[in-house]
Amino acid sequence: MSDSYADRDGKIWMDGELVDWRDANVHILTHALHYASSVFEGERCYDGKVFKSREHSERLIKSGELMDMEIPYTVDEIEAAKKATLEANGLTNAYLRVVCFRGAGADMGVAASRNPVRMAVTAWEWGNYYGDAKMKGAKLDIAKWKRPSPETIPVAAKAAGLYMICTMSKHAAEAKGCSDAMFLDYRGYVAEATGANIFFVKDGEVHTPLADSILNGLTRQTIIGVLEDRQIKVHERHILPEELADFEQCWLTGSAAEVTPVGQIGDYHFEVGELTREVAEAYEKLVRA
């Protein structure tokens, strides 16, 4: 199999039908390519079951609404598309990417209300998002870019355009030998990594940024629930970057990242401690329950 995601065997669900992987193409004047009119979900399937599948589909529709882009499929229809994609590719453990976007149509300016909203579902086998960081802890850079104010972007939407600074920041981090970057928000508080939420441990209690300028991730919500079930205090609050010096442990959460320990952020170091390992193990069991 080719290393290229454009050159693979398999099937991709597009606009209601399964097409050959290599034929899943769009026109060069697709509005999303020019103006970022696109929303998506990243999901993982474990032993034939997509974790929090309906919640992901519901969020996809909500993201579309926030982007003034009505998605022409119901939650049940999105669920059926995911199931069909997995079956067509013979996958029971996989990563799924569901994307909805404005296609090519009558409009080719900023406004595109006459263009069709299209949907595609892909699935492939994808290992640990951060490689061996699962064991030794990821190394993070601190991004020069900041997460914008909710007055400037729809922070509750999982929208493609919001990832522009993520790509730039991750490239800069990798050039420094790091595997990711941590953002501060527009006020200077700790925000998130480029594709994952972040948690810290101090004196047996957990601290995580308040989701008021970042996406309140489904995995983030799941892990907060896991901690609360264990009677571990969780503080959702604004965190100043200088506080990193006092935190003992750190981990990232996301559908792709799952629960990934962090060993270093900039000049700050963390241990891959007992609570981090317990949370990661609890999540591994939960997604396969």
Side-chain angles (χ1 to χ4, degrees), residues 140-155:
L140 273 59
D141 185 26
I142 297 177
K144 73 172 185 178
W145 301 101
K146 291 186 177 181
R147 272 280 164 229
S149 161
E151 295 175 327
T152 65
I153 60 170
V155 297

Side-chain angles (χ1 to χ4, degrees), residues 190-205:
V190 172
E192 60 183 347
T194 62
N197 292 121
I198 194 163
F199 289 78
F200 302 96
V201 179
K202 180 182 177 182
D203 298 330
E205 297 184 347

